[in-house]
Amino acid sequence: MSIPVRIVLVGTTHPGNIGAAARAMRTMGLDRLTLVAPRTFPSEEATARAAGADEVLAGARVCERLDEALADCRFVIGTSARLRALSWSTFTPREAAPRLLAESAQGEVAVVFGRESSGLSNDELASCHALLHVPTDESFSSLNLAMAVQIVAYELRLALLAGVAPEPPPERVDPLATVDDLERFYAHLERTLVDAGFLNPANPRHLMMRLRRLFSRALPEEKEVRILRGILSALAPVRAAADGDETREAGTR
Ligand code: SAH
């Protein structure tokens, strides 16, 4: 049985790293690989470095943008070689693995890895619910991309072998919202806040980032996001009607 966790590699520059990541996944029983705007793929070098894990490469999905790669995911962890200034919830691989397995019982889950040169942007991390950092020597924290994949994949395997029950947290009523639901909600919220004069469209980033952190920390469920969008529509009926917004009645559905 394969471990149902999607590995997403963003903007990989060296095809050898894609092959080595596929091998790392295959050894631990993972086979869901998504590549976002890889510089070169497919490539002979990737195939050579996959060392026989060809079916992982052959089954890889290639997307242009990270939001496409994550649209249907309900729980996403971004990885970073650095601990970020804006403090998202941060897990070690050992803490993240059982959580990912548990969430995989209710929907697609993903772990996102960044570019060799610059990692993931803050905007890309903003699509994630939490961060994963492999604790390293503080003075040299940057692992090779495929080695970071190997460590996460190994911890997932250990969690599987330890018999982590793939059950969502007991307080959960409905499945978590998907990344796509959340992105639509954030866009709706931003429009509404701009219209209300609360958010300066010339400088929306800081506030929206804070709000994203707030909501991703809460792990909103699908129905909760529908209610929130219904509230936004009810508070700004003119704009909603002008947009032909279909979520106006969502709260009452
Ligand atoms: N210079 C980049 C390093 C990127 S390393 C930076 O400072 O962000 C390429 C990718 O490998 C990272 O984006 C991350 O996905 C993964 N990675 C490397 N070291 C890691 C670590 N210590 N913890 C978690 N992920 C790591």
Side-chain angles (χ1 to χ4, degrees):
M1 193 197 82
S2 73
I3 296 179
V5 174
R6 185 180 308 177
I7 298 295
V8 180
L9 307 183
V10 178
T12 312
T13 312
H14 300 294
N17 279 335
I18 298 177
R23 179 180 186 177
M25 289 171 62
R26 181 74 178 80
T27 53
M28 298 297 140
L30 283 86
D31 59 8
R32 302 179 186 191
L33 176 62
T34 299
L35 306 171
V36 177
R39 182 183 282 176
T40 317
F41 187 78
S43 86
E44 279 179 17
E45 198 185 343
T47 307
R49 290 286 301 280
D54 298 351
E55 64 275 38
V56 177
L57 284 184
R61 182 173 156 225
V62 181
C63 298
E64 276 306 303
R65 296 159 44 96
L66 181 60
D67 53 4
E68 251 177 85
L70 299 178
D72 59 337
C73 288
R74 295 180 192 273
F75 187 67
V76 180
I77 295 190
T79 59
S80 176
R82 284 169 287 156
L83 288 170
R84 304 278 167 152
L86 259 188
S87 54
W88 300 82
S89 325
T90 304
F91 295 118
T92 64
R94 194 148 298 174
E95 292 160 349
R99 191 61 203 277
L100 284 159
L101 287 190
E103 293 293 350
S104 73
Q106 272 198 341
E108 292 292 317
V109 303
V111 186
V112 186
F113 295 83
R115 300 162 189 81
E116 292 94 332
S117 54
S118 55
L120 294 168
S121 68
N122 282 335
D123 278 354
E124 287 163 342
L125 285 170
S127 301
C128 303
H129 293 101
L131 267 187
L132 179 154
H133 174 72
V134 178
T136 55
D137 189 300
E138 287 100 49
S139 63
F140 202 109
S141 65
S142 179
L143 290 156
N144 166 268
L145 169 62
M147 295 198 185
V149 172
Q150 184 77 74
I151 289 171
V152 172
Y154 175 61
E155 290 295 340
L156 284 165
R157 181 137 206 98
L158 286 187
L160 181 80
L161 293 176
V164 169
E167 277 175 19
E171 70 277 11
R172 185 83 48 78
V173 179
D174 290 305
L176 295 178
T178 63
V179 167
D180 191 48
D181 295 334
L182 285 173
E183 289 304 322
R184 287 169 193 271
F185 164 63
Y186 293 135
H188 193 168
L189 181 61
E190 186 170 346
R191 283 200 307 274
T192 310
L193 294 177
V194 169
D195 286 355
F198 186 78
L199 175 59
N200 174 5
N203 184 21
R205 301 251 45 102
H206 197 59
L207 179 66
M208 287 313 296
M209 202 59 97
R210 302 293 296 225
L211 291 170
R212 277 172 175 268
R213 270 179 68 218
L214 168 66
F215 286 107
S216 40
R217 215 165 49 230
L219 288 173
E221 296 170 8
E222 208 170 74
K223 283 195 185 138
E224 292 168 336
V225 170
R226 280 215 293 276
I227 292 169
L228 287 169
R229 292 202 58 187
I231 292 172
L232 290 178
S233 299
L235 292 176
V238 178
R239 173 61 189 257
D243 286 353
D245 196 312
E246 79 289 358
T247 61
R248 234 193 121 187
E249 304 299 327
T252 55
R253 249 181 241 151

